[in-house]
Amino acid sequence: MFLTEKTYDIDELCRCNMHTHSVFSKCSKPEMAFEEMIKAAERFGIETFALTDHSDLYDEINSVGNYRKLKKRLAKIDTPVRVIVGAEMSAYGIGKFAEPYRIDKEIEFCNYSCVHYHLDYWEQPKDRSPKGYAEHMIAVMSALFDTDRADSIAHPFSPCKMKFFNVSEKEEMLRSISDTELGDIMLKGENAGCAWELHKSSVLCFPEFYKRFFFVGKEAGVHFTVGTDAHRLNDINTADFAVELKKMMR
Protein backbone atom coordinates (compact mmCIF):
# COMPACT_ATOMS: atom_id res chain seq x y z
CA MET A 1 0.00 0.00 0.00
CA PHE A 2 1.51 3.32 -1.08
CA LEU A 3 1.32 5.89 1.72
CA THR A 4 2.92 8.77 -0.16
CA GLU A 5 2.34 10.10 -3.66
CA LYS A 6 4.52 9.07 -6.57
CA THR A 7 6.99 11.83 -7.34
CA TYR A 8 10.54 12.20 -8.61
CA ASP A 9 10.94 15.74 -7.28
CA ILE A 10 13.62 15.59 -4.57
CA ASP A 11 12.16 18.42 -2.49
CA GLU A 12 8.76 16.76 -2.47
CA LEU A 13 10.25 13.39 -1.53
CA CYS A 14 12.21 14.97 1.31
CA ARG A 15 9.09 16.48 2.86
CA CYS A 16 8.51 12.97 4.17
CA ASN A 17 10.76 10.87 6.40
CA MET A 18 9.58 7.27 6.31
CA HIS A 19 12.32 5.57 8.37
CA THR A 20 12.97 6.57 12.00
CA HIS A 21 13.53 4.76 15.30
CA SER A 22 12.22 5.55 18.78
CA VAL A 23 13.44 4.34 22.16
CA PHE A 24 11.58 1.08 21.46
CA SER A 25 14.54 0.24 19.19
CA LYS A 26 17.58 -0.71 21.27
CA CYS A 27 19.92 1.05 18.85
CA SER A 28 18.19 4.41 19.32
CA LYS A 29 19.20 7.25 21.65
CA PRO A 30 17.27 8.06 24.88
CA GLU A 31 16.15 11.38 23.38
CA MET A 32 13.99 9.52 20.84
CA ALA A 33 10.74 9.60 22.80
CA PHE A 34 7.69 9.45 20.54
CA GLU A 35 6.37 12.91 21.45
CA GLU A 36 9.82 14.50 21.09
CA MET A 37 10.21 12.94 17.66
CA ILE A 38 6.94 14.49 16.52
CA LYS A 39 8.02 17.91 17.84
CA ALA A 40 11.31 17.54 15.93
CA ALA A 41 9.43 16.65 12.75
CA GLU A 42 7.37 19.82 13.19
CA ARG A 43 10.52 21.95 13.68
CA PHE A 44 12.15 20.51 10.58
CA GLY A 45 9.10 21.03 8.37
CA ILE A 46 8.46 17.32 7.81
CA GLU A 47 4.96 16.81 6.43
CA THR A 48 4.74 13.01 6.76
CA PHE A 49 6.72 11.12 9.36
CA ALA A 50 6.86 7.34 9.88
CA LEU A 51 8.08 5.62 13.01
CA THR A 52 9.62 2.28 12.05
CA ASP A 53 11.05 0.53 15.09
CA HIS A 54 12.82 -2.78 14.58
CA SER A 55 10.84 -5.99 14.58
CA ASP A 56 13.42 -8.78 14.41
CA LEU A 57 13.72 -12.35 15.59
CA TYR A 58 14.96 -12.66 19.17
CA ASP A 59 14.76 -8.90 19.88
CA GLU A 60 12.03 -9.26 22.54
CA ILE A 61 10.16 -6.29 21.05
CA ASN A 62 6.36 -6.56 21.19
CA SER A 63 5.69 -4.93 17.82
CA VAL A 64 1.91 -5.08 17.98
CA GLY A 65 1.78 -4.09 21.66
CA ASN A 66 4.01 -1.07 21.01
CA TYR A 67 1.98 -0.18 17.92
CA ARG A 68 -1.26 -0.15 19.90
CA LYS A 69 0.28 1.95 22.70
CA LEU A 70 1.68 4.50 20.29
CA LYS A 71 -1.58 4.79 18.35
CA LYS A 72 -3.35 5.64 21.63
CA ARG A 73 -0.71 8.24 22.47
CA LEU A 74 -0.89 9.67 18.97
CA ALA A 75 -4.66 10.17 19.30
CA LYS A 76 -3.97 12.66 22.12
CA ILE A 77 -1.33 14.67 20.22
CA ASP A 78 -2.30 17.76 18.23
CA THR A 79 0.17 18.08 15.37
CA PRO A 80 0.10 19.27 11.74
CA VAL A 81 2.45 16.40 10.86
CA ARG A 82 0.93 13.27 9.36
CA VAL A 83 2.31 10.62 11.71
CA ILE A 84 2.41 6.97 10.63
CA VAL A 85 3.16 4.27 13.16
CA GLY A 86 4.90 1.40 11.40
CA ALA A 87 7.77 -1.02 11.89
CA GLU A 88 11.00 -2.09 10.23
CA MET A 89 10.24 -5.72 9.49
CA SER A 90 12.70 -8.40 8.38
CA ALA A 91 12.74 -10.69 5.37
CA TYR A 92 15.77 -12.62 6.62
CA GLY A 93 15.92 -15.22 3.87
CA ILE A 94 14.10 -16.43 0.79
CA GLY A 95 10.50 -16.72 1.96
CA LYS A 96 11.53 -16.21 5.62
CA PHE A 97 9.83 -13.48 7.64
CA ALA A 98 10.48 -12.47 11.24
CA GLU A 99 6.83 -11.85 12.11
CA PRO A 100 3.63 -13.79 11.44
CA TYR A 101 1.48 -12.47 8.60
CA ARG A 102 -1.25 -11.28 11.00
CA ILE A 103 1.20 -8.82 12.60
CA ASP A 104 2.14 -7.35 9.24
CA LYS A 105 -1.52 -6.80 8.51
CA GLU A 106 -2.23 -5.00 11.79
CA ILE A 107 0.66 -2.54 11.57
CA GLU A 108 -0.10 0.27 9.13
CA PHE A 109 3.34 0.60 7.51
CA CYS A 110 5.78 -2.28 7.06
CA ASN A 111 9.22 -1.10 5.94
CA TYR A 112 11.06 -4.32 5.10
CA SER A 113 14.77 -4.89 5.56
CA CYS A 114 16.27 -7.56 3.30
CA VAL A 115 19.99 -6.86 3.81
CA HIS A 116 20.86 -7.27 7.51
CA TYR A 117 23.42 -9.96 6.76
CA HIS A 118 25.41 -9.01 9.88
CA LEU A 119 22.76 -10.63 12.13
CA ASP A 120 23.49 -14.18 13.30
CA TYR A 121 20.16 -15.63 12.19
CA TRP A 122 20.15 -14.00 8.74
CA GLU A 123 20.25 -16.47 5.84
CA GLN A 124 23.53 -16.32 3.92
CA PRO A 125 23.87 -17.27 0.24
CA LYS A 126 25.70 -20.44 -0.75
CA ASP A 127 27.86 -18.28 -3.01
CA ARG A 128 29.57 -15.80 -0.65
CA SER A 129 30.98 -13.68 -3.49
CA PRO A 130 29.75 -10.11 -4.10
CA LYS A 131 27.64 -11.35 -7.03
CA GLY A 132 26.28 -14.19 -4.88
CA TYR A 133 25.04 -11.71 -2.29
CA ALA A 134 23.48 -9.51 -4.98
CA GLU A 135 21.60 -12.48 -6.41
CA HIS A 136 20.51 -13.61 -2.96
CA MET A 137 19.08 -10.24 -1.92
CA ILE A 138 17.15 -10.01 -5.21
CA ALA A 139 15.75 -13.51 -4.55
CA VAL A 140 14.75 -12.46 -1.00
CA MET A 141 12.95 -9.40 -2.35
CA SER A 142 11.28 -11.40 -5.11
CA ALA A 143 9.85 -13.87 -2.57
CA LEU A 144 8.69 -10.95 -0.43
CA PHE A 145 6.87 -9.44 -3.41
CA ASP A 146 5.02 -12.72 -3.93
CA THR A 147 3.21 -11.71 -0.72
CA ASP A 148 1.42 -8.49 0.22
CA ARG A 149 3.49 -7.92 3.36
CA ALA A 150 5.71 -4.98 2.36
CA ASP A 151 4.82 -1.30 1.97
CA SER A 152 8.42 -0.18 1.42
CA ILE A 153 11.93 -1.62 1.20
CA ALA A 154 14.32 -0.23 3.80
CA HIS A 155 17.85 0.55 2.58
CA PRO A 156 17.43 -1.57 -0.59
CA PHE A 157 20.60 -3.31 -1.83
CA SER A 158 22.66 -1.59 0.84
CA PRO A 159 25.99 -3.27 1.67
CA CYS A 160 26.63 -0.91 4.60
CA LYS A 161 26.27 -3.64 7.25
CA MET A 162 28.36 -6.19 5.35
CA LYS A 163 31.44 -5.98 7.55
CA PHE A 164 32.88 -9.07 5.86
CA PHE A 165 33.34 -7.10 2.61
CA ASN A 166 35.78 -4.26 2.10
CA VAL A 167 34.68 -1.12 0.24
CA SER A 168 35.78 -2.35 -3.17
CA GLU A 169 33.90 -5.64 -2.69
CA LYS A 170 30.77 -3.73 -1.67
CA GLU A 171 31.05 -1.60 -4.79
CA GLU A 172 31.61 -4.75 -6.87
CA MET A 173 28.41 -6.23 -5.45
CA LEU A 174 26.41 -3.16 -6.47
CA ARG A 175 28.01 -3.00 -9.93
CA SER A 176 27.13 -6.65 -10.49
CA ILE A 177 23.42 -5.79 -10.51
CA SER A 178 22.53 -4.94 -14.11
CA ASP A 179 20.03 -2.25 -15.06
CA THR A 180 17.75 -4.99 -16.33
CA GLU A 181 17.88 -6.90 -13.04
CA LEU A 182 17.36 -3.68 -11.14
CA GLY A 183 14.43 -2.60 -13.28
CA ASP A 184 12.78 -6.02 -13.14
CA ILE A 185 12.85 -6.32 -9.34
CA MET A 186 11.85 -2.68 -8.83
CA LEU A 187 8.88 -3.14 -11.14
CA LYS A 188 7.88 -6.34 -9.32
CA GLY A 189 7.92 -4.35 -6.09
CA GLU A 190 5.81 -1.60 -7.63
CA ASN A 191 3.27 -4.14 -8.84
CA ALA A 192 3.15 -5.57 -5.31
CA GLY A 193 2.31 -2.12 -3.89
CA CYS A 194 5.77 -1.61 -2.40
CA ALA A 195 7.82 1.61 -2.52
CA TRP A 196 11.62 1.90 -2.64
CA GLU A 197 13.51 3.87 -0.01
CA LEU A 198 16.22 6.38 -0.77
CA HIS A 199 18.14 5.66 2.42
CA LYS A 200 20.37 8.48 3.52
CA SER A 201 23.57 6.73 4.62
CA SER A 202 23.44 4.12 1.85
CA VAL A 203 22.93 6.75 -0.85
CA LEU A 204 25.72 8.97 0.47
CA CYS A 205 28.15 6.05 0.83
CA PHE A 206 27.47 4.62 -2.65
CA PRO A 207 26.30 7.54 -4.81
CA GLU A 208 27.19 5.95 -8.16
CA PHE A 209 24.88 2.98 -7.60
CA TYR A 210 22.01 4.95 -6.06
CA LYS A 211 22.01 7.48 -8.87
CA ARG A 212 21.53 4.54 -11.23
CA PHE A 213 18.92 3.07 -8.84
CA PHE A 214 16.94 6.32 -8.90
CA PHE A 215 16.95 6.74 -12.67
CA VAL A 216 16.16 3.07 -13.38
CA GLY A 217 13.29 3.30 -10.91
CA LYS A 218 12.07 6.54 -12.44
CA GLU A 219 12.08 4.96 -15.89
CA ALA A 220 10.18 1.94 -14.53
CA GLY A 221 7.67 4.26 -12.85
CA VAL A 222 8.07 3.10 -9.26
CA HIS A 223 7.25 4.87 -5.99
CA PHE A 224 10.14 6.19 -3.90
CA THR A 225 10.29 7.22 -0.27
CA VAL A 226 13.03 8.99 1.69
CA GLY A 227 14.31 7.64 4.99
CA THR A 228 17.09 8.88 7.24
CA ASP A 229 17.03 5.87 9.60
CA ALA A 230 17.05 8.44 12.40
CA HIS A 231 18.36 7.35 15.81
CA ARG A 232 18.82 10.94 17.06
CA LEU A 233 16.38 13.84 16.92
CA ASN A 234 18.54 15.93 14.57
CA ASP A 235 18.63 13.02 12.12
CA ILE A 236 14.88 13.38 11.53
CA ASN A 237 15.73 16.43 9.43
CA THR A 238 15.89 15.66 5.69
CA ALA A 239 17.04 19.10 4.50
CA ASP A 240 20.76 18.30 4.17
CA PHE A 241 19.96 15.02 2.44
CA ALA A 242 17.77 16.87 -0.08
CA VAL A 243 20.73 19.11 -0.96
CA GLU A 244 23.02 16.12 -1.51
CA LEU A 245 20.40 14.21 -3.49
CA LYS A 246 19.86 17.13 -5.87
CA LYS A 247 23.61 17.37 -6.48
CA MET A 248 23.79 13.64 -7.17
CA MET A 249 20.84 13.50 -9.56
CA ARG A 250 22.02 16.25 -11.90
Side-chain angles (χ1 to χ4, degrees):
M1 177 176 64
F2 299 119
L3 296 182
T4 56
E5 296 294 321
K6 183 187 292 188
T7 182
Y8 304 108
D9 181 276
I10 299 301
D11 289 319
E12 285 187 33
L13 283 167
C14 288
R15 292 189 183 105
C16 305
N17 190 342
M18 302 297 286
H19 189 164
T20 68
H21 294 276
S22 81
V23 291
F24 286 136
S25 291
K26 294 177 182 178
C27 51
S28 216
K29 299 299 179 183
E31 65 192 54
M32 297 297 271
F34 185 49
E35 290 80 3
E36 293 304 313
M37 295 174 74
I38 294 172
K39 290 177 185 176
E42 292 175 3
R43 288 198 306 274
F44 296 136
I46 302 295
E47 294 179 0
T48 299
F49 159 76
L51 177 65
T52 54
D53 282 315
H54 289 290
S55 185
D56 288 325
L57 287 177
Y58 318 121
D59 62 8
E60 299 179 355
I61 293 175
N62 182 351
S63 299
V64 166
N66 291 344
Y67 171 78
R68 292 171 181 167
K69 289 176 186 175
L70 292 173
K71 289 293 284 185
K72 288 180 181 178
R73 285 161 62 179
L74 179 59
K76 299 176 182 178
I77 298 172
D78 182 20
T79 178
V81 178
R82 179 192 179 201
V83 180
I84 297 165
V85 182
E88 183 177 345
M89 299 293 195
S90 294
Y92 66 93
I94 300 171
K96 297 178 180 179
F97 310 108
E99 296 285 8
Y101 179 78
R102 61 179 174 78
I103 291 181
D104 286 54
K105 293 296 98 182
E106 179 164 351
I107 293 173
E108 63 186 301
F109 178 63
C110 294
N111 194 24
Y112 257 90
S113 170
C114 303
V115 296
H116 281 161
Y117 289 101
H118 64 294
L119 296 176
D120 290 341
Y121 67 85
W122 215 267
E123 180 180 276
Q124 305 292 320
K126 291 181 180 177
D127 176 1
R128 301 293 184 94
S129 69
K131 180 61 176 175
Y133 273 93
E135 290 174 345
H136 185 262
M137 67 175 64
I138 289 172
V140 171
M141 291 177 190
S142 183
L144 174 61
F145 298 146
D146 288 335
T147 75
D148 63 345
R149 286 174 173 265
D151 299 306
S152 181
I153 299 297
H155 33 63
F157 308 102
S158 177
C160 288
K161 299 280 189 176
M162 295 180 176
K163 309 284 186 180
F164 44 84
F165 282 155
N166 60 36
V167 173
S168 64
E169 289 169 325
K170 292 175 181 179
E171 291 173 343
E172 180 185 345
M173 188 203 78
L174 294 172
R175 283 195 303 270
S176 76
I177 304 170
S178 70
D179 285 358
T180 299
E181 289 172 314
L182 196 53
D184 286 349
I185 194 62
M186 293 182 83
L187 190 56
K188 185 170 183 177
E190 175 72 16
N191 291 337
C194 183
W196 294 87
E197 182 180 277
L198 293 165
H199 178 257
K200 183 177 178 179
S201 62
S202 301
V203 171
L204 296 182
C205 286
F206 301 97
E208 182 179 338
F209 173 79
Y210 285 102
K211 181 175 182 177
R212 183 161 62 94
F213 169 77
F214 180 76
F215 283 109
V216 169
K218 182 178 179 181
E219 184 176 347
V222 307
H223 283 70
F224 285 108
T225 64
V226 160
T228 64
D229 208 348
H231 291 70
R232 302 172 184 268
L233 289 176
N234 282 340
D235 293 337
I236 292 171
N237 193 1
T238 58
D240 59 337
F241 187 35
V243 171
E244 294 301 321
L245 272 175
K246 284 187 281 189
K247 287 180 184 176
M248 279 176 53
M249 302 309 176
R250 285 175 186 162

